[in-house]
Amino acid sequence: MPVAEVSLDMPRLWVEFTDPADAGQRFRCDLTWLTSSWVCIFGAGCRGIYADRPDDGCCTLGAHFTEKDDYRRVRDVAAELGEDEWQFHDVGKPAGALHQESWTELEDGVRKTKVVDGACIFLNRPGFPAGAGCALHQHAVVEGLPPTSLKPEVCWQLPIRRTYRTVEQPDQTSYLEVSIGEYDRRGWGPGGHDLDWYCSGNPEAHVGQEPVYRSSEAELVELIGEAGYQQLVLRCEAHLRAVTAARRSGNRKLLPLLVHPATLAAQDTVKPEAQGRAAAEKLAAKRRLEKPAVVEKPAVVEKPARSSS
């Protein structure tokens, strides 16, 4: 049975510090989220954001590009993908060439990856010889590259969210505030409340063996730089020491103020064997990507059906 998500209005602890690489901006980081035990469970218990498409994970709607460089990066990678690693190769590359309208589309005037047969054109479906999952992510692993260098920004950041605002101070000075927090349902806009299931606040996904600031090191370094990340690590570890102290002293009433409620709930509602199973399945999936099976190309490649939408 699905486990209930925690409230969006949960208490959070934030920490601020100046960017070591730029004195004109400060980082504001959500310690509650970054020290949580959330982990991506795609292929290991993920229910998908829509109940009728559980195998899609969060890839049903396609990905919006943040800027031209984001679009160009993904375009260049898509041009390299072969038919043995991209299920919808023939849709994205009709006649063997990549065209903007063949793999992207406009939604409210914003360009995004195309939706084909109900999900993102880059999502390989169950049964595809190279394995289910993002073709861009799989290509990155095969090539020994970080997925952050090939996937759309919104895809590799999720469910971490980076936002900006200019802070005006009483002495008429200002600085740029860069916030790093949880990409919860509200981050999707009004439609986020209509998703059938979402992972960041669900105890079912808070089964990681490492806290987010460790498991998502590559993403955080990309977002705030290496020097900023090292400063973040110091603060996250100090916070976890405070959590440990609260546990040891038996002062559990403080834990809801220090620990993500989904992480706390996971310890009570997700059985230990389920936690171990999810971690083992995730590790096995990672190893399959790192050592992909050799797939022989068929003599005749059938062209996937085009989306009727």
Side-chain angles (χ1 to χ4, degrees):
M1 243 186 112
V3 178
E5 293 179 35
V6 300
S7 170
L8 290 172
D9 296 318
M10 51 177 268
R12 294 183 186 271
L13 286 176
W14 296 79
V15 64
E16 294 186 8
F17 57 95
T18 300
D19 180 357
D22 184 352
Q25 66 181 24
R26 289 177 62 81
F27 293 124
R28 178 175 180 266
C29 302
D30 180 358
L31 290 177
T32 304
W33 168 244
L34 295 170
T35 59
S36 76
S37 60
W38 175 90
V39 66
C40 176
I41 57 171
F42 180 83
C46 174
R47 298 177 184 273
I49 58 175
Y50 292 118
D52 60 346
R53 300 192 62 89
D55 295 325
D56 292 352
C58 56
C59 303
T60 305
L61 302 174
H64 290 81
F65 298 109
T66 58
E67 56 187 2
K68 289 183 179 179
D69 285 345
D70 190 29
Y71 164 81
R72 291 166 183 154
R73 180 179 60 258
V74 178
R75 177 199 62 194
D76 293 345
V77 179
E80 297 177 3
L81 295 178
E83 57 194 20
D84 58 338
E85 56 185 343
W86 185 13
Q87 182 174 2
F88 295 101
H89 176 276
D90 287 358
V91 178
K93 294 182 180 180
L98 193 71
H99 301 290
Q100 184 180 66
E101 300 306 322
S102 65
W103 68 282
T104 70
E105 60 190 7
L106 290 175
E107 182 177 86
D108 298 327
V110 179
R111 191 156 296 279
K112 59 183 285 291
T113 60
K114 197 170 193 174
V115 170
V116 176
D117 289 352
C120 178
I121 191 171
F122 291 112
L123 179 66
N124 293 335
R125 316 300 156 83
F128 184 65
C134 176
L136 300 169
H137 189 109
Q138 293 173 341
H139 183 75
V141 174
V142 169
E143 295 297 321
L145 299 170
T148 55
S149 66
L150 304 185
K151 297 173 67 174
E153 285 193 11
V154 67
C155 297
W156 62 257
Q157 290 182 23
L158 199 71
I160 296 174
R161 189 176 188 214
R162 177 177 62 182
T163 58
Y164 301 90
R165 71 166 179 149
T166 298
V167 177
E168 301 289 345
Q169 301 189 104
D171 61 358
Q172 297 185 355
T173 62
S174 64
Y175 64 89
L176 179 65
E177 179 185 86
V178 183
S179 290
I180 302 295
E182 177 181 345
Y183 204 120
D184 61 18
R185 284 177 175 268
R186 287 173 173 151
W188 293 71
H193 297 286
D194 299 327
L195 303 179
D196 294 324
W197 186 88
Y198 191 62
C199 66
S200 76
N202 196 299
E204 291 178 309
H206 281 248
V207 293
Q209 301 300 300
E210 295 182 306
V212 169
Y213 77 92
R214 286 295 188 190
S215 62
S216 298
E217 176 179 353
E219 291 83 357
L220 288 166
V221 168
E222 187 70 23
L223 290 170
I224 65 176
E226 179 64 40
Y229 175 73
Q230 292 305 324
Q231 290 297 312
L232 174 63
V233 169
L234 291 175
R235 289 154 175 82
C236 287
E237 291 181 348
H239 180 70
L240 287 178
R241 284 194 292 272
V243 173
T244 299
R247 292 183 187 279
R248 287 178 176 172
S249 66
N251 201 355
R252 291 188 60 86
K253 66 182 181 181
L254 291 179
L255 293 182
L257 302 178
L258 300 172
V259 182
H260 196 293
T263 293
L264 283 178
Q267 297 165 359
D268 299 327
T269 61
V270 180
K271 295 180 180 179
E273 57 266 29
Q275 292 181 324
R277 184 170 62 252
E281 290 174 349
K282 192 67 182 177
L283 179 60
K286 180 180 179 182
R287 287 174 174 170
R288 286 195 296 272
L289 284 176
E290 291 174 344
K291 297 181 180 181
V294 177
V295 180
E296 295 183 0
K297 294 183 180 181
V300 177
V301 179
E302 294 185 1
K303 188 173 183 178
R306 291 179 179 271
S307 172
S308 60
S309 59

